[in-house]
């Protein structure tokens, strides 16, 4: 059994998929907290349903960068975790957080990195660019988080075909289904590699 925290900004379907795998025993872990930078996002509702403590920490709640970073680190010191999982978190992770959890922060990205990663490539922007460039395939990547956006070591990917006439939304939905299958398995494998579980 190991523990993880999650950071999310949006609907939270990846967060929910992780919690369902904890609930059915496939992921032998405990989710200790959710951090959101948007108090109204769908992930907050999911945390309520699953009884996960939630913290809203953003530029609004903490306008000064130092206080913002201290608030994030404060959650970690009150709720120590083995892994921190970004699940649709749309804000850059401060270096202080990366240093506090070296090689322990994972992200899921909706394209086959190193393509379509980095500044500006998030959410629907990624799928729009993939379609505009007539790519034959796309798909999710799980990688470690470093100070360079989307550049950390790749842990796993799932190729997904881009179909003729796909809209960004259709492609996003097909990739999201694969994200839900990929993230928990990659987390489990990585936890085994780190010997957090057998
Ligand atoms: C997912 O597609 C995730 O890969 C993407 O945001 C979506 C969140 O969906 N993340 C990024 O673009 C990060 N660069 P969800 O809130 O339903 O899990």
């Amino acid at each position: 059994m190991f523990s993880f925290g999650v950071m999310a900004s949006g609907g939270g379907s990846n967060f929910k998929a992780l919690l369902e795998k904890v609930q059915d025993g496939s992921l032998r872990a405990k989710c200790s907290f959710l951090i959101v930078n948007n108090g109204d996002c769908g992930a907050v509702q999911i945390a309520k349903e699953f009884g996960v403590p939630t913290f809203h920490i953003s530029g609004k709640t903490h306008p000064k960068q130092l206080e913002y970073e201290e608030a994030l680190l404060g959650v970690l010191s009150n709720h120590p975790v083995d892994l921190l999982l970004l699940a649709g978190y749309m804000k850059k992770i401060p270096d202080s957080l990366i240093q506090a959890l070296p090689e322990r922060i994972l992200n899921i990205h909706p394209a086959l990195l190193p393509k379509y990663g980095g500044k500006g490539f998030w959410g629907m922007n990624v799928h729009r660019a993939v379609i505009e460039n007539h790519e034959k395939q796309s798909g999710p990547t799980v990688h470690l988080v470093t100070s360079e956006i989307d550049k950390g070591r790749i842990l796993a990917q799932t190729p997904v075909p881009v179909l003729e006439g796909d809209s960004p939304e259709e492609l996003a939905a097909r990739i999201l289904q694969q994200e839900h299958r990929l993230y928990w398995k990659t987390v489990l494998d990585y936890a085994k590699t780190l010997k957090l579980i057998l």
Side-chain angles (χ1 to χ4, degrees), residues 59-146:
K60 266 194 192 159
T61 60
H62 298 80
K64 293 197 179 129
Q65 180 66 17
L66 191 64
E67 287 170 8
Y68 164 72
E69 292 187 23
E70 278 171 2
L72 293 176
L73 292 169
V75 173
L76 283 179
S77 64
N78 291 330
H79 304 265
V81 287
D82 296 303
L83 297 175
L84 182 58
L85 309 178
L86 310 187
Y89 189 69
M90 300 304 183
K91 217 169 138 62
K92 189 177 185 301
I93 300 298
D95 284 351
S96 55
L97 200 57
I98 295 171
Q99 281 153 17
L101 285 167
E103 309 227 313
R104 297 289 182 120
I105 308 180
L106 278 63
N107 180 42
I108 187 150
H109 184 80
L112 297 172
L113 293 173
K115 280 182 150 186
Y116 303 100
K119 206 166 189 290
F121 283 119
W122 52 271
M124 212 50 75
N125 299 342
V126 172
H127 307 297
R128 245 180 250 120
V130 165
I131 289 171
E132 272 166 22
N133 290 336
H134 305 289
E135 295 287 355
K136 292 273 178 289
Q137 60 174 18
S138 187
T141 299
V142 178
H143 65 96
L144 295 180
V145 173
T146 61

Side-chain angles (χ1 to χ4, degrees), residues 131-132 134-135 161-171 174:
I131 289 171
E132 272 166 22
H134 305 289
E135 295 287 355
V162 180
L163 304 180
E164 190 86 19
D166 256 349
S167 68
E169 289 75 15
E170 284 165 338
L171 180 60
R174 210 168 330 108

Side-chain angles (χ1 to χ4, degrees), residues 1-4 27-31 82-83 187-188 191 196-197:
M1 178 97 158
F2 65 97
S3 60
F4 66 91
L27 190 57
R28 298 187 304 281
K30 173 187 180 332
C31 181
D82 296 303
L83 297 175
V187 169
L188 183 63
L196 299 174
I197 47 169

Side-chain angles (χ1 to χ4, degrees), residues 162-196:
V162 180
L163 304 180
E164 190 86 19
D166 256 349
S167 68
E169 289 75 15
E170 284 165 338
L171 180 60
R174 210 168 330 108
I175 290 176
L176 199 57
Q177 282 182 2
Q178 295 305 321
E179 293 185 35
H180 299 161
R181 301 174 71 162
L182 183 68
Y183 208 5
W184 75 271
K185 268 194 203 138
T186 309
V187 169
L188 183 63
D189 287 346
Y190 192 59
K192 285 180 185 165
T193 306
L194 294 179
K195 304 207 183 324
L196 299 174

